[in-house]
Amino acid sequence: MEAALSALRERLAASGVPSPQVDAELLARHVLGWSRARLLTSGDRPLPAPAARRLRELGERRARREPLQLIVGSVGFRRLDLLVRPGVFIPRPETEVLAGEAVARTPPGGLVVEPCTGSGAVACAVAHEAGCVVVATDSAPAAASLARTNAARWGLPVKVVEGDLFEPLPAALRAKVDVVVCNPPYVAAGELAGLEPEVAEWDPAPALVAGPTGHEVSDRVVAQAPSWLRPGGWLLLEVADTRARAVAARCRAAG
């Protein structure tokens, strides 16, 4: 087992994978169905031929910089295991912070709206931990479908509606939303080529690129959110760290 893991680590490192050891272990656990403790105490026992072949196949996919989440078919996000699919933005660990901020600010029985839901990760996490209703939107049919699947998989009170930002919401929700939480596209068009291959080549461009400046979608969210929030409600956005001060200034200007 150790020989197979070592060979896989070396292959991934040579291809530029940022975390070859972690990825090699996760791929091996996925193939074998083992815990990490069992994997690390397996010693030098050789892998059965079918498992060794499968591990090499998955390792080659990862070496070509296919995201690990797509290879194993799911991702851990806060307390949930969520499905991922090609063509839908893959949730990343930093967005767990955004979800946690939404959980902390949602009152019992509150109402949360999440535009740009993607896989539904934030919506599902907030509904699960805050015990609230979440209405999520996405303009991409594939994303809306996956978000519904993830919510149903966990039996969560998440309603997913297809459409652009707040446009598909019923008018009755105006001025009644406790939290608007959003991880919008925030990459500037000229920045796409500089992203890691796992992002630039696998995530759908409309879920990444906002436009020439990177502010285009967040500006629309900031402009539209106030009419949906109740007095004292929260708007929570994930943005590029290089543009955070500018986004904050735009929020203040919008009241």
Side-chain angles (χ1 to χ4, degrees), residues 26 74 137 149 156 196 219 229 239 248 253:
L26 290 173
S74 66
T137 74
T149 297
L156 295 168
E196 290 285 346
D219 278 352
L229 288 167
V239 298

Side-chain angles (χ1 to χ4, degrees), residues 70-253:
L70 290 181
I71 294 171
V72 302
S74 66
V75 62
F77 190 86
R78 292 184 65 86
R79 302 175 187 175
L80 303 174
D81 185 68
L82 301 171
L83 301 177
V84 294
R85 292 175 184 162
V88 179
F89 182 80
I90 300 168
R92 265 73 181 194
E94 59 268 24
T95 304
E96 295 184 52
V97 178
L98 178 71
E101 295 292 341
V103 170
R105 289 164 171 76
T106 301
L111 175 63
V112 175
V113 166
E114 190 210 4
C116 307
T117 193
S119 66
V122 171
C124 289
V126 174
H128 182 251
E129 296 179 44
C132 65
V133 172
V134 181
V135 182
T137 74
D138 204 289
S139 59
S145 174
L146 180 57
R148 291 188 192 102
T149 297
N150 276 322
R153 189 168 181 245
W154 288 93
L156 295 168
V158 176
K159 179 178 175 58
V160 182
V161 285
E162 189 178 323
D164 182 55
L165 300 182
F166 300 93
E167 184 273 330
L169 299 182
L173 297 187
R174 285 191 181 274
K176 295 182 180 177
V177 177
D178 295 291
V179 175
V180 171
V181 56
C182 185
N183 178 17
Y186 57 73
V187 174
E191 298 169 341
L192 183 61
L195 299 178
E196 290 285 346
E198 289 86 347
V199 178
E201 297 175 11
W202 289 91
D203 278 323
L208 295 171
V209 179
T213 70
H215 286 288
E216 287 78 5
V217 181
S218 60
D219 278 352
R220 293 172 58 218
V221 174
V222 169
Q224 296 174 33
S227 66
W228 296 94
L229 288 167
R230 64 166 175 77
W234 286 89
L235 168 61
L236 304 173
L237 287 168
E238 180 174 323
V239 298
D241 55 359
T242 55
R243 287 186 281 274
R245 288 182 180 273
V247 174
R250 285 161 151 83
C251 288
R252 286 190 290 271

Side-chain angles (χ1 to χ4, degrees), residues 6-47:
S6 178
L8 181 53
R9 283 195 298 267
E10 292 176 8
R11 176 73 180 96
L12 297 182
S15 68
V17 171
S19 51
Q21 181 168 339
V22 171
D23 288 22
E25 288 183 7
L26 290 173
L27 287 172
R29 289 174 57 191
H30 174 69
V31 168
L32 297 167
W34 288 1
S35 67
R36 186 169 188 266
R38 183 179 179 188
L39 180 69
L40 296 181
T41 57
S42 60
D44 293 330
R45 287 179 294 173
L47 278 176

